[in-house]
Amino acid sequence: MNFLERIFGRAASSSDSAESAKLRLQMALAHDRADISPQTLDTMRDEIVGVVSKYVDIDRENVQVTVSRIADVHHVVTNVPVLRTHPTRAKPSPRRATRPAQTKS
Amino acid sequence: MGGQVVTITSGKGGVGKTTATANLGVALARRGQRVVCIDADIGLRNLDVVLGLENRIVYDLVDVIEGRAKLRQGLIKDKRLPELHLLPAAQKRDKTAVTDKQMIKLCDDLRKEFDFVLVDSPAGIEGGFKYSIAPAYQVLIVVTPEVSSVRDADRVIGLVEAQEKSSPRLIINRMRPSMVRRGEMLATSDVLEILSIELLGIVPEDEAIITSTNKGHPVALEDHSPAGAAFTRIAQRMMGEDVAFQALDESGGLLDRFSRLFRR
């Protein structure tokens, strides 16, 4: 559901079959467009989950990997819902470590 | 210079290509445009019955291409609209009877005399589809808000975009606003988000399409039906007029206009 629908609200329904149509289409088209097999997509998803979860707590159930076509270039788009970051484990970026944020005039 | 060749296609069959071609032809001719509709579905001729011109066929597309008839002899003039013409498909031949090159030559000749050459493509992505889009300046994709139709449309859009053509535009056909409101049908914004191409128009589901096809009297001949009015607005947009999108969808025209703004 895109943000416009969230703003305007789509009528609640016990069986939102349109939403499942949309999700199923997005998955099917990912395979069609980039010729990536469902297995490969699953493996990719699992590896992305593995890497990202080393740094932040994520909602593993709702990680989405889709392929979209923008002009004639395929983009692998990954959506990873973050539950929370763990400050102790998160490696600070060298940039922020060496140069604390401050405004120079 | 000359007219534009516009091919109407979809990938999936039964989504309304022929109905769209007939009604766009009628709507354009009613607005004074010189129009010829070509039925490119060789072997499965139908545009003639939808237009109500089936009893007037003497020659067909293949007769013209193979030189048995002059171009002028092959064209059927619609008595209701002096600007509307049909070049019917051959019924006893198959799609191998025509090549891409022959279609391009035919459409180039027609462009000299007509403002719009509308090519009604067969379903599928094989030979018939290929010779139908070969001459096109503009390709219109007809889609219904269903998974199978949207998936096939995506495939066809990819094939059209692989050619050196202006990007295809979308007609969403058989939209049922009440189902969209209940979350039981893909909304215009969903279809546009998935296919990411420009929207040309939305046509509501309308029983008048069935009764008008029964009679061979396209809805766009009159102004009173919702589908006929929608096809007329699409025809106006094809002529370059800026016609607002109607409130057919869930949150109405507002959402559609917003979606267009935010569309990639």
Side-chain angles (χ1 to χ4, degrees), chain A residues 32-73:
Chain A
D32 295 352
R33 285 170 178 170
D35 203 15
I36 299 174
S37 73
Q39 290 88 339
T40 310
L41 212 60
D42 277 349
T43 313
M44 206 153 77
R45 182 183 181 278
D46 290 345
E47 289 180 18
I48 292 169
V49 165
V51 171
V52 180
S53 58
K54 281 204 282 190
Y55 300 93
V56 288
D57 276 349
I58 62 173
D59 176 4
R60 286 166 181 262
E61 295 305 304
N62 288 304
V63 173
Q64 272 184 5
V65 180
T66 58
V67 179
S68 60
R69 187 191 53 218
I70 299 161
D72 36 10
V73 181

Side-chain angles (χ1 to χ4, degrees), chain B residues 66-209:
Chain B
E66 293 181 348
R68 278 187 300 279
K70 292 211 174 72
L71 188 48
R72 274 279 149 203
Q73 291 176 300
L75 298 181
I76 301 165
K77 216 167 137 88
D78 193 318
K79 287 174 180 158
R80 297 162 298 197
L81 289 166
E83 308 289 10
L84 183 62
H85 300 74
L86 168 69
L87 182 53
Q91 184 69 323
K92 301 277 168 67
R93 300 291 294 272
D94 61 46
K95 268 86 177 171
T96 58
V98 172
T99 65
D100 295 11
K101 232 179 183 170
Q102 287 168 326
M103 269 308 265
I104 293 170
K105 168 78 169 66
L106 174 76
C107 290
D108 268 344
D109 291 342
L110 287 167
R111 280 178 57 212
K112 291 173 194 147
E113 293 180 53
F114 293 93
D115 299 309
F116 283 94
V117 179
L118 304 185
V119 181
D120 182 17
S121 153
I125 51 171
E126 296 80 21
F129 161 77
K130 289 188 182 125
Y131 67 59
S132 296
I133 62 162
Y137 163 80
Q138 171 74 229
V139 177
L140 307 185
I141 311 281
V142 181
V143 70
T144 57
E146 296 161 276
V147 285
S148 48
S149 174
V150 174
R151 187 186 196 180
D152 289 3
D154 186 76
R155 181 93 170 90
V156 166
I157 291 165
L159 293 171
V160 173
E161 284 181 344
Q163 304 209 355
E164 301 287 306
K165 296 189 184 297
S166 58
S167 43
R169 293 196 284 177
L170 194 70
I171 295 175
I172 304 179
N173 195 23
R174 310 192 63 177
M175 180 56 91
R176 295 171 68 168
S178 59
M179 286 192 77
V180 174
R181 275 193 294 273
R182 292 198 300 269
E184 289 168 355
M185 179 176 267
L186 289 167
T188 300
S189 52
D190 295 330
V191 177
L192 292 179
E193 187 189 330
I194 291 167
L195 296 178
S196 51
I197 64 168
E198 188 189 342
L199 179 66
L200 182 63
I202 311 161
V203 181
E205 174 88 77
D206 186 348
E207 288 186 358
I209 291 287

